[in-house]
Amino acid sequence: MPKLILDLPDGRRTETPLRAGPTWVGRSRENEIPITDVRASRRHCCVEPRDGGWWVRDDGSRNGTLLNGKLVERSKLAAGDLIEIGATRIWFDRVDAGPDPTKTMVSPPTEREERGQQDLLRLQRIARALNGELNPSKLLELILDHAIDIVRAERGFVLLRGEAGAGAGVGKVDFAASRNFAGESVPGSELDISRSLATQVLTSGEPVMAVNAIEDERFRDVESISILGLRSVLAIPLRERDEVVGAIYLDNRLQRRAFGPDDLRMLEALADHAAVALRNARLFERLARQREEIEASRRRVEDLNGRLEQIVRGQTVELEHLRDAVRAREVLGTKYDYKEIVGRSPAVLQTLRLLDRVVDSEVPVHIYGESGTGKELIARAVHMYGPRAKQPFVSENCAALTETLLESELFGYVKGAFTGADKARKGLFEMAHKGTLFLDEVGDMSQGMQRKLLRVLQEGEVRPVGGVEPVKVDVRIVSASNRDLQAMIETGEFREDLFYRLRVLHIRLPSLRERKEDIPLLVSVFIDREAKRQGGRPKPMAPGVMDLLLAYDWPGNIRELENECLRMLALSGEVIEADVLSEQIRGWIPQAFAPGVPGEVRDLNVLVEQVEVAEIKKALSLHENNKTRAADALHISRFALQRKLEKHGIAADD
């Protein structure tokens, strides 16, 4: 009957006859052969009959099953085969097979043969473990753990020579790793070793072993042996090819004859494997470092390429802006591109051509226009493209402050001039020195403030509130009003002398209803700007929405149009529908179509002319002033359209 002979780590031996079914081995007590080895799984492997013979089969164990030193999943057994599970050894003995001319019954090995087989298998496992670790620091600790475990040393160290140590001398030697029998790093206070003995190994390249170092004649002159009280010492050189690169140093400060010849042979074999594994790990680390450097260089190149691309893109955008400016000047026929001012209608073009003549001078400019027509935008253009462009631009709304506050804002005040004036403050005239001061809504100034402003313009100096000494100022005045100052002069609301001081040059801004051709362009600009600010895309308009925007008269002018665009974007879905427009725009009835006063009959000729003018302007706006397409939309000939344009005084440049 075949049987399994189990050699336990404590030296005991048991025998288990094999039965007809599988015989299980593992840590669980439910197995036929329970073992206590910590490396065994609960259900590790089984020995079972199959195909007229006996087989060993691993059951997916965590650490695997060794058969004669090789990992197997399933293998046929022969008499004398050795099954290993961790430190547990099981011999297969087939005693019932009868004489077999092809096989000789193998008896269990002697203790020395068994030690040799164990050492060989241990070296195989150690070699696999070392070759599987590519981190040099962890590899050195692993080498020491195995070395200490093999010879049961108290402490272990790996000493490595630096590059300066190559050649005849030993040079610098570093403690690359240290471990004790508990698998912990040796603290700095316990790093003392016999450096003389270590130097001897590094110099000669030969191992040194002392079973009782204190009494060993070879180390009689080595003071560190006696000082440290070393009993057993074993040092093995680490060789890389033919060069000694370091040493494995082991000692036991308490036990004599801790190491023997077998330990020396095992450590020499371990050192050979360790040197190769250490070299491979260092090469891998160097390659990994080189890959990181290459990757870092690649990222730096990508970053540089990205920055270069941004620079090129920025330069391209700037170049395109310059080209746009040139094209705009060519289209506008103006000296400057005035890119901040949106519009290409005849009324806007006329204003821009007037700006060309205004900006280069330094005399006062007065801008007249309804609220929301962009008077401050024109004032900034006067400053930006004028000779004072690099100097300050300061603005103030004269209608927003009382006379007292406006005076202190414009002229400043000294400390203690009034209650709360705890320190002196410069006025806007001083802040705008050498630059431009924009006074909006000057028509709303009080008579007293008009008189004080006139004095400043005449004398070129301001006197802070509560102050005595005047301050010289050099300021270009740009004023604006939505009221007709000439009409206010006739009613006595505005000083005539101040009017002529402010209105040296005059710019009248058209209302939006006078330049409805610009509405599509303005809407596009407002929607694109808001969409970009919100990080989204501009939304398209449903048919008929633009017709409603063009039909409305926009009493609030451009400011009202911009607010309406923001409202449309906020309330609409993917497409801007007419139902998101303000009620006054959706229900707008042009004056020409509004019902008259009950009982009053209006002039039919006037009504027809109003409708004709409104539709002609709408057609020209929709077709970008293309007279041929506008005439087709109106179902009249181009010649008839030209006659009507001349009749009604409508400007339309192809």
Side-chain angles (χ1 to χ4, degrees), residues 221-251:
D221 298 329
V222 180
E223 294 182 2
S224 58
I225 296 290
S226 58
I227 293 174
L228 296 173
L230 297 178
R231 297 293 189 271
S232 300
V233 179
L234 181 58
I236 306 295
L238 284 172
R239 290 188 179 87
E240 189 174 299
R241 296 188 176 91
D242 295 330
E243 183 181 358
V244 177
V245 297
I248 300 175
Y249 176 98
L250 303 169
D251 64 21

PDB file of all heavy atoms in Angstrom, residues 221-251:
ATOM      1  N   ASP A 221      45.427  41.610  17.086  1.00  0.00           N
ATOM      2  CA  ASP A 221      45.771  43.036  17.051  1.00  0.00           C
ATOM      3  C   ASP A 221      44.579  43.931  16.686  1.00  0.00           C
ATOM      4  O   ASP A 221      44.741  45.147  16.552  1.00  0.00           O
ATOM      5  CB  ASP A 221      46.906  43.272  16.040  1.00  0.00           C
ATOM      6  CG  ASP A 221      48.175  42.526  16.433  1.00  0.00           C
ATOM      7  OD1 ASP A 221      48.368  42.358  17.656  1.00  0.00           O
ATOM      8  OD2 ASP A 221      48.931  42.128  15.517  1.00  0.00           O
ATOM      9  N   VAL A 222      43.424  43.345  16.484  1.00  0.00           N
ATOM     10  CA  VAL A 222      42.245  44.151  16.109  1.00  0.00           C
ATOM     11  C   VAL A 222      41.515  44.558  17.380  1.00  0.00           C
ATOM     12  O   VAL A 222      40.861  43.733  18.030  1.00  0.00           O
ATOM     13  CB  VAL A 222      41.300  43.351  15.175  1.00  0.00           C
ATOM     14  CG1 VAL A 222      40.093  44.199  14.803  1.00  0.00           C
ATOM     15  CG2 VAL A 222      42.060  42.906  13.932  1.00  0.00           C
ATOM     16  N   GLU A 223      41.665  45.849  17.769  1.00  0.00           N
ATOM     17  CA  GLU A 223      41.104  46.314  19.030  1.00  0.00           C
ATOM     18  C   GLU A 223      39.578  46.280  19.028  1.00  0.00           C
ATOM     19  O   GLU A 223      38.948  46.045  20.053  1.00  0.00           O
ATOM     20  CB  GLU A 223      41.584  47.742  19.321  1.00  0.00           C
ATOM     21  CG  GLU A 223      43.080  47.837  19.574  1.00  0.00           C
ATOM     22  CD  GLU A 223      43.502  49.256  19.917  1.00  0.00           C
ATOM     23  OE1 GLU A 223      42.605  50.135  19.989  1.00  0.00           O
ATOM     24  OE2 GLU A 223      44.703  49.488  20.113  1.00  0.00           O
ATOM     25  N   SER A 224      38.976  46.534  17.866  1.00  0.00           N
ATOM     26  CA  SER A 224      37.514  46.627  17.825  1.00  0.00           C
ATOM     27  C   SER A 224      36.854  45.311  18.188  1.00  0.00           C
ATOM     28  O   SER A 224      35.737  45.290  18.719  1.00  0.00           O
ATOM     29  CB  SER A 224      37.060  47.052  16.424  1.00  0.00           C
ATOM     30  OG  SER A 224      37.522  46.125  15.442  1.00  0.00           O
ATOM     31  N   ILE A 225      37.550  44.172  17.952  1.00  0.00           N
ATOM     32  CA  ILE A 225      36.967  42.868  18.291  1.00  0.00           C
ATOM     33  C   ILE A 225      36.745  42.768  19.792  1.00  0.00           C
ATOM     34  O   ILE A 225      35.659  42.393  20.261  1.00  0.00           O
ATOM     35  CB  ILE A 225      37.876  41.724  17.797  1.00  0.00           C
ATOM     36  CG1 ILE A 225      37.982  41.730  16.256  1.00  0.00           C
ATOM     37  CG2 ILE A 225      37.374  40.389  18.307  1.00  0.00           C
ATOM     38  CD1 ILE A 225      36.729  41.321  15.553  1.00  0.00           C
ATOM     39  N   SER A 226      37.768  43.128  20.537  1.00  0.00           N
ATOM     40  CA  SER A 226      37.655  43.028  21.998  1.00  0.00           C
ATOM     41  C   SER A 226      36.786  44.133  22.567  1.00  0.00           C
ATOM     42  O   SER A 226      36.041  43.919  23.535  1.00  0.00           O
ATOM     43  CB  SER A 226      39.059  43.078  22.628  1.00  0.00           C
ATOM     44  OG  SER A 226      39.716  44.276  22.247  1.00  0.00           O
ATOM     45  N   ILE A 227      36.880  45.322  21.992  1.00  0.00           N
ATOM     46  CA  ILE A 227      36.063  46.438  22.502  1.00  0.00           C
ATOM     47  C   ILE A 227      34.584  46.133  22.345  1.00  0.00           C
ATOM     48  O   ILE A 227      33.781  46.362  23.249  1.00  0.00           O
ATOM     49  CB  ILE A 227      36.438  47.747  21.771  1.00  0.00           C
ATOM     50  CG1 ILE A 227      37.871  48.168  22.145  1.00  0.00           C
ATOM     51  CG2 ILE A 227      35.442  48.853  22.106  1.00  0.00           C
ATOM     52  CD1 ILE A 227      38.371  49.368  21.365  1.00  0.00           C
ATOM     53  N   LEU A 228      34.210  45.590  21.196  1.00  0.00           N
ATOM     54  CA  LEU A 228      32.803  45.301  20.936  1.00  0.00           C
ATOM     55  C   LEU A 228      32.360  43.988  21.561  1.00  0.00           C
ATOM     56  O   LEU A 228      31.165  43.698  21.603  1.00  0.00           O
ATOM     57  CB  LEU A 228      32.556  45.258  19.418  1.00  0.00           C
ATOM     58  CG  LEU A 228      32.790  46.574  18.662  1.00  0.00           C
ATOM     59  CD1 LEU A 228      32.667  46.349  17.162  1.00  0.00           C
ATOM     60  CD2 LEU A 228      31.791  47.624  19.118  1.00  0.00           C
ATOM     61  N   GLY A 229      33.311  43.176  22.001  1.00  0.00           N
ATOM     62  CA  GLY A 229      32.958  41.903  22.618  1.00  0.00           C
ATOM     63  C   GLY A 229      32.350  40.929  21.635  1.00  0.00           C
ATOM     64  O   GLY A 229      31.429  40.180  21.987  1.00  0.00           O
ATOM     65  N   LEU A 230      32.865  40.911  20.415  1.00  0.00           N
ATOM     66  CA  LEU A 230      32.292  40.051  19.386  1.00  0.00           C
ATOM     67  C   LEU A 230      32.700  38.601  19.617  1.00  0.00           C
ATOM     68  O   LEU A 230      33.857  38.305  19.905  1.00  0.00           O
ATOM     69  CB  LEU A 230      32.760  40.510  18.001  1.00  0.00           C
ATOM     70  CG  LEU A 230      32.328  41.922  17.581  1.00  0.00           C
ATOM     71  CD1 LEU A 230      32.898  42.267  16.213  1.00  0.00           C
ATOM     72  CD2 LEU A 230      30.812  42.031  17.560  1.00  0.00           C
ATOM     73  N   ARG A 231      31.755  37.702  19.508  1.00  0.00           N
ATOM     74  CA  ARG A 231      32.026  36.285  19.629  1.00  0.00           C
ATOM     75  C   ARG A 231      32.139  35.639  18.242  1.00  0.00           C
ATOM     76  O   ARG A 231      33.167  35.080  17.897  1.00  0.00           O
ATOM     77  CB  ARG A 231      30.908  35.593  20.435  1.00  0.00           C
ATOM     78  CG  ARG A 231      30.797  36.071  21.860  1.00  0.00           C
ATOM     79  CD  ARG A 231      32.023  35.681  22.690  1.00  0.00           C
ATOM     80  NE  ARG A 231      31.846  35.955  24.096  1.00  0.00           N
ATOM     81  CZ  ARG A 231      32.150  37.089  24.673  1.00  0.00           C
ATOM     82  NH1 ARG A 231      32.653  38.085  23.957  1.00  0.00           N
ATOM     83  NH2 ARG A 231      31.971  37.256  25.965  1.00  0.00           N
ATOM     84  N   SER A 232      31.059  35.711  17.462  1.00  0.00           N
ATOM     85  CA  SER A 232      31.050  35.092  16.134  1.00  0.00           C
ATOM     86  C   SER A 232      30.890  36.176  15.077  1.00  0.00           C
ATOM     87  O   SER A 232      30.024  37.049  15.193  1.00  0.00           O
ATOM     88  CB  SER A 232      29.901  34.090  16.016  1.00  0.00           C
ATOM     89  OG  SER A 232      30.027  33.067  16.990  1.00  0.00           O
ATOM     90  N   VAL A 233      31.738  36.107  14.050  1.00  0.00           N
ATOM     91  CA  VAL A 233      31.714  37.095  12.966  1.00  0.00           C
ATOM     92  C   VAL A 233      31.821  36.356  11.650  1.00  0.00           C
ATOM     93  O   VAL A 233      32.603  35.405  11.515  1.00  0.00           O
ATOM     94  CB  VAL A 233      32.875  38.106  13.093  1.00  0.00           C
ATOM     95  CG1 VAL A 233      32.835  39.100  11.942  1.00  0.00           C
ATOM     96  CG2 VAL A 233      32.816  38.825  14.419  1.00  0.00           C
ATOM     97  N   LEU A 234      31.037  36.814  10.655  1.00  0.00           N
ATOM     98  CA  LEU A 234      31.102  36.233   9.313  1.00  0.00           C
ATOM     99  C   LEU A 234      30.934  37.366   8.312  1.00  0.00           C
ATOM    100  O   LEU A 234      29.946  38.107   8.361  1.00  0.00           O
ATOM    101  CB  LEU A 234      29.994  35.189   9.127  1.00  0.00           C
ATOM    102  CG  LEU A 234      29.931  34.471   7.768  1.00  0.00           C
ATOM    103  CD1 LEU A 234      31.255  33.760   7.481  1.00  0.00           C
ATOM    104  CD2 LEU A 234      28.785  33.468   7.754  1.00  0.00           C
ATOM    105  N   ALA A 235      31.903  37.544   7.446  1.00  0.00           N
ATOM    106  CA  ALA A 235      31.865  38.604   6.432  1.00  0.00           C
ATOM    107  C   ALA A 235      32.129  37.994   5.065  1.00  0.00           C
ATOM    108  O   ALA A 235      33.113  37.265   4.888  1.00  0.00           O
ATOM    109  CB  ALA A 235      32.892  39.680   6.744  1.00  0.00           C
ATOM    110  N   ILE A 236      31.253  38.279   4.113  1.00  0.00           N
ATOM    111  CA  ILE A 236      31.324  37.700   2.770  1.00  0.00           C
ATOM    112  C   ILE A 236      31.418  38.841   1.758  1.00  0.00           C
ATOM    113  O   ILE A 236      30.644  39.806   1.826  1.00  0.00           O
ATOM    114  CB  ILE A 236      30.068  36.853   2.461  1.00  0.00           C
ATOM    115  CG1 ILE A 236      29.854  35.801   3.537  1.00  0.00           C
ATOM    116  CG2 ILE A 236      30.172  36.207   1.084  1.00  0.00           C
ATOM    117  CD1 ILE A 236      30.947  34.765   3.598  1.00  0.00           C
ATOM    118  N   PRO A 237      32.356  38.781   0.814  1.00  0.00           N
ATOM    119  CA  PRO A 237      32.449  39.849  -0.190  1.00  0.00           C
ATOM    120  C   PRO A 237      31.303  39.765  -1.208  1.00  0.00           C
ATOM    121  O   PRO A 237      30.808  38.692  -1.532  1.00  0.00           O
ATOM    122  CB  PRO A 237      33.803  39.587  -0.860  1.00  0.00           C
ATOM    123  CG  PRO A 237      34.022  38.123  -0.692  1.00  0.00           C
ATOM    124  CD  PRO A 237      33.407  37.761   0.628  1.00  0.00           C
ATOM    125  N   LEU A 238      30.884  40.936  -1.681  1.00  0.00           N
ATOM    126  CA  LEU A 238      29.919  41.041  -2.786  1.00  0.00           C
ATOM    127  C   LEU A 238      30.714  41.374  -4.038  1.00  0.00           C
ATOM    128  O   LEU A 238      31.390  42.416  -4.094  1.00  0.00           O
ATOM    129  CB  LEU A 238      28.884  42.142  -2.509  1.00  0.00           C
ATOM    130  CG  LEU A 238      27.776  41.821  -1.503  1.00  0.00           C
ATOM    131  CD1 LEU A 238      26.973  43.086  -1.198  1.00  0.00           C
ATOM    132  CD2 LEU A 238      26.855  40.744  -2.049  1.00  0.00           C
ATOM    133  N   ARG A 239      30.655  40.505  -5.028  1.00  0.00           N
ATOM    134  CA  ARG A 239      31.443  40.702  -6.244  1.00  0.00           C
ATOM    135  C   ARG A 239      30.527  41.007  -7.425  1.00  0.00           C
ATOM    136  O   ARG A 239      29.504  40.356  -7.607  1.00  0.00           O
ATOM    137  CB  ARG A 239      32.255  39.443  -6.565  1.00  0.00           C
ATOM    138  CG  ARG A 239      33.404  39.159  -5.621  1.00  0.00           C
ATOM    139  CD  ARG A 239      34.245  38.004  -6.145  1.00  0.00           C
ATOM    140  NE  ARG A 239      35.373  37.717  -5.268  1.00  0.00           N
ATOM    141  CZ  ARG A 239      35.314  36.911  -4.216  1.00  0.00           C
ATOM    142  NH1 ARG A 239      34.163  36.304  -3.926  1.00  0.00           N
ATOM    143  NH2 ARG A 239      36.381  36.702  -3.475  1.00  0.00           N
ATOM    144  N   GLU A 240      30.917  42.003  -8.160  1.00  0.00           N
ATOM    145  CA  GLU A 240      30.239  42.311  -9.423  1.00  0.00           C
ATOM    146  C   GLU A 240      31.270  42.087 -10.520  1.00  0.00           C
ATOM    147  O   GLU A 240      32.203  42.857 -10.670  1.00  0.00           O
ATOM    148  CB  GLU A 240      29.742  43.765  -9.430  1.00  0.00           C
ATOM    149  CG  GLU A 240      28.852  44.081 -10.619  1.00  0.00           C
ATOM    150  CD  GLU A 240      28.260  45.478 -10.526  1.00  0.00           C
ATOM    151  OE1 GLU A 240      27.518  45.740  -9.555  1.00  0.00           O
ATOM    152  OE2 GLU A 240      28.559  46.294 -11.420  1.00  0.00           O
ATOM    153  N   ARG A 241      31.054  40.997 -11.261  1.00  0.00           N
ATOM    154  CA  ARG A 241      32.083  40.488 -12.167  1.00  0.00           C
ATOM    155  C   ARG A 241      33.328  40.172 -11.327  1.00  0.00           C
ATOM    156  O   ARG A 241      33.263  39.360 -10.426  1.00  0.00           O
ATOM    157  CB  ARG A 241      32.361  41.476 -13.295  1.00  0.00           C
ATOM    158  CG  ARG A 241      31.136  41.695 -14.215  1.00  0.00           C
ATOM    159  CD  ARG A 241      31.515  42.532 -15.424  1.00  0.00           C
ATOM    160  NE  ARG A 241      30.393  42.665 -16.353  1.00  0.00           N
ATOM    161  CZ  ARG A 241      29.517  43.650 -16.306  1.00  0.00           C
ATOM    162  NH1 ARG A 241      29.648  44.599 -15.403  1.00  0.00           N
ATOM    163  NH2 ARG A 241      28.513  43.706 -17.150  1.00  0.00           N
ATOM    164  N   ASP A 242      34.467  40.791 -11.599  1.00  0.00           N
ATOM    165  CA  ASP A 242      35.687  40.474 -10.852  1.00  0.00           C
ATOM    166  C   ASP A 242      36.022  41.536  -9.810  1.00  0.00           C
ATOM    167  O   ASP A 242      37.102  41.501  -9.214  1.00  0.00           O
ATOM    168  CB  ASP A 242      36.877  40.332 -11.822  1.00  0.00           C
ATOM    169  CG  ASP A 242      36.689  39.153 -12.763  1.00  0.00           C
ATOM    170  OD1 ASP A 242      36.040  38.178 -12.336  1.00  0.00           O
ATOM    171  OD2 ASP A 242      37.176  39.225 -13.910  1.00  0.00           O
ATOM    172  N   GLU A 243      35.128  42.454  -9.571  1.00  0.00           N
ATOM    173  CA  GLU A 243      35.420  43.556  -8.652  1.00  0.00           C
ATOM    174  C   GLU A 243      34.586  43.419  -7.388  1.00  0.00           C
ATOM    175  O   GLU A 243      33.398  43.103  -7.431  1.00  0.00           O
ATOM    176  CB  GLU A 243      35.111  44.897  -9.325  1.00  0.00           C
ATOM    177  CG  GLU A 243      35.448  46.102  -8.457  1.00  0.00           C
ATOM    178  CD  GLU A 243      35.099  47.403  -9.160  1.00  0.00           C
ATOM    179  OE1 GLU A 243      34.638  47.344 -10.321  1.00  0.00           O
ATOM    180  OE2 GLU A 243      35.271  48.466  -8.539  1.00  0.00           O
ATOM    181  N   VAL A 244      35.243  43.643  -6.227  1.00  0.00           N
ATOM    182  CA  VAL A 244      34.541  43.618  -4.950  1.00  0.00           C
ATOM    183  C   VAL A 244      33.865  44.975  -4.754  1.00  0.00           C
ATOM    184  O   VAL A 244      34.530  46.010  -4.671  1.00  0.00           O
ATOM    185  CB  VAL A 244      35.510  43.333  -3.788  1.00  0.00           C
ATOM    186  CG1 VAL A 244      34.763  43.379  -2.460  1.00  0.00           C
ATOM    187  CG2 VAL A 244      36.173  41.983  -3.972  1.00  0.00           C
ATOM    188  N   VAL A 245      32.518  44.969  -4.692  1.00  0.00           N
ATOM    189  CA  VAL A 245      31.770  46.219  -4.579  1.00  0.00           C
ATOM    190  C   VAL A 245      31.226  46.424  -3.172  1.00  0.00           C
ATOM    191  O   VAL A 245      30.709  47.491  -2.853  1.00  0.00           O
ATOM    192  CB  VAL A 245      30.611  46.258  -5.594  1.00  0.00           C
ATOM    193  CG1 VAL A 245      31.129  46.227  -7.013  1.00  0.00           C
ATOM    194  CG2 VAL A 245      29.644  45.101  -5.357  1.00  0.00           C
ATOM    195  N   GLY A 246      31.338  45.401  -2.334  1.00  0.00           N
ATOM    196  CA  GLY A 246      30.817  45.539  -0.987  1.00  0.00           C
ATOM    197  C   GLY A 246      30.975  44.248  -0.210  1.00  0.00           C
ATOM    198  O   GLY A 246      31.712  43.337  -0.614  1.00  0.00           O
ATOM    199  N   ALA A 247      30.288  44.176   0.925  1.00  0.00           N
ATOM    200  CA  ALA A 247      30.395  42.985   1.770  1.00  0.00           C
ATOM    201  C   ALA A 247      29.127  42.835   2.599  1.00  0.00           C
ATOM    202  O   ALA A 247      28.463  43.817   2.936  1.00  0.00           O
ATOM    203  CB  ALA A 247      31.617  43.077   2.678  1.00  0.00           C
ATOM    204  N   ILE A 248      28.818  41.564   2.892  1.00  0.00           N
ATOM    205  CA  ILE A 248      27.756  41.242   3.850  1.00  0.00           C
ATOM    206  C   ILE A 248      28.443  40.891   5.167  1.00  0.00           C
ATOM    207  O   ILE A 248      29.269  39.970   5.222  1.00  0.00           O
ATOM    208  CB  ILE A 248      26.892  40.066   3.367  1.00  0.00           C
ATOM    209  CG1 ILE A 248      26.226  40.389   2.028  1.00  0.00           C
ATOM    210  CG2 ILE A 248      25.842  39.715   4.399  1.00  0.00           C
ATOM    211  CD1 ILE A 248      25.462  39.223   1.426  1.00  0.00           C
ATOM    212  N   TYR A 249      28.126  41.646   6.215  1.00  0.00           N
ATOM    213  CA  TYR A 249      28.774  41.482   7.513  1.00  0.00           C
ATOM    214  C   TYR A 249      27.725  40.993   8.503  1.00  0.00           C
ATOM    215  O   TYR A 249      26.673  41.613   8.692  1.00  0.00           O
ATOM    216  CB  TYR A 249      29.365  42.817   7.971  1.00  0.00           C
ATOM    217  CG  TYR A 249      29.975  42.806   9.353  1.00  0.00           C
ATOM    218  CD1 TYR A 249      31.349  42.653   9.518  1.00  0.00           C
ATOM    219  CD2 TYR A 249      29.192  42.960  10.484  1.00  0.00           C
ATOM    220  CE1 TYR A 249      31.912  42.646  10.785  1.00  0.00           C
ATOM    221  CE2 TYR A 249      29.743  42.957  11.756  1.00  0.00           C
ATOM    222  CZ  TYR A 249      31.107  42.792  11.901  1.00  0.00           C
ATOM    223  OH  TYR A 249      31.670  42.792  13.149  1.00  0.00           O
ATOM    224  N   LEU A 250      27.982  39.850   9.163  1.00  0.00           N
ATOM    225  CA  LEU A 250      27.078  39.274  10.156  1.00  0.00           C
ATOM    226  C   LEU A 250      27.863  39.021  11.435  1.00  0.00           C
ATOM    227  O   LEU A 250      29.037  38.637  11.390  1.00  0.00           O
ATOM    228  CB  LEU A 250      26.477  37.956   9.653  1.00  0.00           C
ATOM    229  CG  LEU A 250      25.710  38.008   8.320  1.00  0.00           C
ATOM    230  CD1 LEU A 250      25.429  36.597   7.837  1.00  0.00           C
ATOM    231  CD2 LEU A 250      24.420  38.783   8.469  1.00  0.00           C
ATOM    232  N   ASP A 251      27.232  39.220  12.571  1.00  0.00           N
ATOM    233  CA  ASP A 251      27.930  38.915  13.821  1.00  0.00           C
ATOM    234  C   ASP A 251      26.936  38.480  14.891  1.00  0.00           C
ATOM    235  O   ASP A 251      25.720  38.605  14.727  1.00  0.00           O
ATOM    236  CB  ASP A 251      28.780  40.096  14.315  1.00  0.00           C
ATOM    237  CG  ASP A 251      27.957  41.321  14.684  1.00  0.00           C
ATOM    238  OD1 ASP A 251      26.751  41.174  14.951  1.00  0.00           O
ATOM    239  OD2 ASP A 251      28.509  42.446  14.700  1.00  0.00           O
TER     240      ASP A 251
END
